[in-house]
Amino acid sequence: MSAEEPPDDSRSDERTAEEDDQPATRARLGEGADRAASEFDQNVVDLLAWVLDTETRARIYVYLRQHPNSTSDEVAEGTELYPSTVREALAELHDEDRVTRQKRESAGAGNNPYEYEAIAPSELVRSVAEQVQSELNTVFNLDHQLRDGADADAADDGSTPVTITVDGGSIESSDSDADSE
């Protein structure tokens, strides 16, 4: 190839066509990834809404996991919820030990607001398992007492209450009468 011959443009044309397609492909992939992330986030919020009782509390929990040490005003702004709703939900979540709080350190004069942080998801799951275990124990004990009351007509048979222990995904019953039935 001499210095006067023009370069072979066919190869550079192919790269240009590929390069032209890359931004469009990246945009489509980015849109798909954003949609998948949004759907995933909504599924997480839905699951947490079941665990935490409301979508509002779930949104606050997710925000605090992403932005620890936030004040109630920062949470309200970040979640686009009313400040009074956020303050009420944070108070409830704190009373339930699902968020922690501490006073924000400030060099200036004035009232230092609380900073909130959500507990780890593993702690949240553990607390839910304990709550379910307690509710199941109550239901089974009530059922056992009703059955005994009907059978013995208020006679004391010395039976022990049912206790359900959730451990490693299995449910065990320690009802001594269940073995004999």
Side-chain angles (χ1 to χ4, degrees):
M1 179 192 300
S2 70
E4 295 176 16
E5 289 181 30
D8 183 12
D9 288 338
S10 64
R11 190 151 196 233
S12 63
D13 286 343
E14 288 174 15
R15 275 199 311 222
T16 304
E18 288 175 11
E19 290 172 359
D20 288 344
D21 287 344
Q22 285 179 355
T25 302
R26 284 187 188 139
R28 282 194 307 270
L29 289 173
E31 290 169 7
D34 289 344
R35 185 173 51 251
S38 175
E39 289 172 6
F40 175 78
D41 287 348
Q42 187 57 48
N43 288 338
V44 169
V45 169
D46 290 345
L47 177 61
L48 286 170
W50 176 78
V51 170
L52 297 171
D53 298 326
T54 67
E55 184 176 333
T56 296
R57 291 162 52 114
R59 288 173 56 190
I60 291 169
Y61 178 86
V62 169
Y63 182 84
L64 287 173
R65 289 299 302 163
Q66 295 171 338
H67 305 92
N69 301 318
S70 295
T71 65
S72 62
D73 288 339
E74 292 166 346
V75 173
E77 185 178 324
T79 59
E80 298 179 352
L81 295 168
Y82 289 111
S84 59
T85 301
V86 169
R87 283 190 299 274
E88 182 179 329
L90 283 170
E92 292 169 358
L93 290 167
H94 178 260
D95 289 344
E96 297 166 4
D97 295 325
R98 296 189 172 170
V99 300
T100 60
R101 72 179 184 195
Q102 61 188 20
K103 285 285 191 178
R104 177 173 276 179
E105 296 296 324
S106 175
N111 191 10
N112 297 344
Y114 282 114
E115 294 178 324
Y116 294 88
E117 187 171 339
I119 63 172
S122 59
E123 292 179 49
L124 183 62
V125 168
R126 191 175 305 115
S127 72
V128 170
E130 290 169 359
Q131 179 182 356
V132 169
Q133 178 178 338
S134 174
E135 290 178 16
L136 284 173
N137 283 334
T138 301
V139 169
F140 282 112
N141 284 330
L142 181 59
D143 182 54
H144 185 69
Q145 289 174 358
L146 290 174
R147 186 180 56 219
D148 285 351
D151 291 343
D153 204 38
D156 183 14
D157 64 357
S159 65
T160 60
V162 174
T163 301
I164 298 173
T165 304
V166 179
D167 185 29
S170 64
I171 298 178
E172 302 170 3
S173 174
S174 64
D175 181 10
S176 59
D177 292 339
D179 296 334
S180 62
E181 293 179 359

